[in-house]
Amino acid sequence: MENTRNQVSTKNPTLLQSEELHEYILKTGVYPREPNPLKELRIATANHPMAFMGIAPDAGQLMTMLLKLVNPKNAIEIGVFTGYSLLLTALTIPDYGKITAIDKNRKAYEIGLPIIKKAGVEHKIDFTESPALPILDKLLENPEKEGSFDFAFVDADKNNYWNYHKRLMKLVKIGGMVIYDNTLWGGSVALREEDVPEAKREWRQCAIEFNKLISADPRVEMSQVPLGDGITICRRVC
Ligand code: SAH
Ligand code: CA
């Protein structure tokens, strides 16, 4: 059994001790409980060359539980891809809930959309094809939008995470939750730069800087969870 602890995995990265342990967790506690529409969407995405970008199903399961606790009326998602995290959110929030979903490219969303429609939750989703920053800035032009979101999930361009965070600290209410995906970037944040493949270095640096800033941000409580590719769970406190 190969121990992957000190390697940067390139595909569906796991930060656990071994790929086998990751498989064990998925097969024991995650896949048997994964709602059918999510399973269908995961399988429909599996052959996509960028499939590794989706939130890991085990991290998604934790996000589902947190969403149930927060019970958001208004959620925002930055980085939709084929829609696994979006569908997960839409299936979990109440029927009157709404999700502002933003992705600069709609093409991958078209793969998930028929499954989202079939699951009967499309009415909760307001999808906008655009880079996310101008949309967040536009929302902030309306003072009524300040503090109007209960939940945000950020899973887009890592170089903008801090820019998203600055805006989300106004858009998400005090007490609301923000989750950032890929904050451990395949474990590369803890490796020397020369040991990291060149293609991963730029966003490794972004993750390192973001993690430092968020850790020092008094506006949030945070927990860095080593599930999937690393998720950072924040609760706005002031
Ligand atoms: N949350 C998704 C995965 C998102 S992958 C899931 O669970 O499946 C990252 C997505 O971010 C891609 O679809 C990409 O098009 C989008 N993206 C990248 N840069 C962006 C930007 N500046 N604004 C909005 N979306 C962006
Ligand atoms: Ca991701």
Side-chain angles (χ1 to χ4, degrees):
M1 189 191 298
E2 190 185 14
N3 188 322
T4 55
R5 185 180 280 179
N6 294 321
Q7 296 176 3
V8 180
S9 20
T10 49
K11 175 170 150 247
N12 195 23
T14 175
L15 301 166
L16 294 169
Q17 199 176 37
S18 67
E19 200 55 55
E20 288 75 10
L21 181 56
H22 184 220
E23 280 299 313
Y24 171 81
I25 291 170
L26 291 175
K27 286 189 180 150
T28 309
V30 180
Y31 291 154
R33 290 173 161 269
E34 190 181 36
N36 284 333
L38 280 181
K39 201 179 291 294
E40 200 183 330
L41 182 46
R42 181 167 52 76
I43 290 164
T45 305
N47 290 327
H48 193 290
M50 307 302 271
F52 64 90
M53 294 200 303
I55 189 173
D58 42 353
Q61 190 181 51
L62 174 64
M63 185 159 124
T64 302
M65 192 181 289
L66 293 170
L67 278 165
K68 293 241 166 95
L69 294 169
V70 172
N71 204 27
K73 186 168 180 294
N74 280 313
I76 187 161
E77 174 161 314
I78 303 172
V80 172
F81 187 46
T82 60
Y84 189 92
S85 50
L86 180 61
L87 176 56
L88 173 162
T89 306
L91 287 169
T92 308
I93 66 173
D95 203 50
Y96 54 80
K98 285 267 176 278
I99 310 160
T100 300
I102 313 163
D103 198 296
K104 66 174 186 182
N105 185 348
R106 189 183 165 94
K107 202 161 166 241
Y109 181 51
E110 302 286 350
I111 298 172
L113 194 52
I115 300 168
I116 291 171
K117 285 185 178 163
K118 197 166 73 177
V121 292
E122 194 205 1
H123 63 283
K124 300 185 199 175
I125 297 169
D126 177 13
F127 180 93
T128 304
E129 183 180 32
S130 166
L133 272 183
I135 300 292
L136 300 184
D137 285 336
K138 186 129 193 68
L139 285 169
L140 282 167
E141 281 171 18
N142 177 356
E144 280 179 21
K145 293 288 180 188
E146 283 205 14
S148 68
F149 292 92
D150 319 279
F151 175 77
F153 179 58
V154 180
D155 192 10
D157 44 342
K158 315 304 166 200
N159 47 324
N160 268 318
Y161 269 29
W162 192 250
N163 288 326
Y164 296 140
H165 184 70
K166 283 195 274 191
R167 286 149 180 89
L168 290 171
M169 285 301 101
K170 296 183 185 137
L171 289 166
V172 173
K173 71 176 188 190
I174 292 171
M177 186 169 66
V178 185
I179 299 182
Y180 294 92
D181 195 27
N182 306 104
T183 52
L184 295 175
W185 204 234
S188 67
V189 290
L191 297 178
R192 292 183 313 177
E193 188 180 45
E194 53 268 38
D195 295 335
V196 176
E198 226 167 293
K200 297 200 87 184
R201 286 184 192 171
E202 188 191 341
W203 279 6
R204 165 189 173 274
Q205 199 51 43
C206 295
I208 288 172
E209 276 160 31
F210 174 77
N211 293 340
K212 213 186 288 171
L213 288 166
I214 203 94
S215 163
D217 186 349
R219 293 170 296 185
V220 292
E221 291 173 339
M222 62 155 284
S223 172
Q224 168 76 74
V225 182
L227 266 182
D229 195 24
I231 57 173
T232 300
I233 302 169
C234 301
R235 194 174 82 92
R236 185 179 167 199
V237 291
C238 65

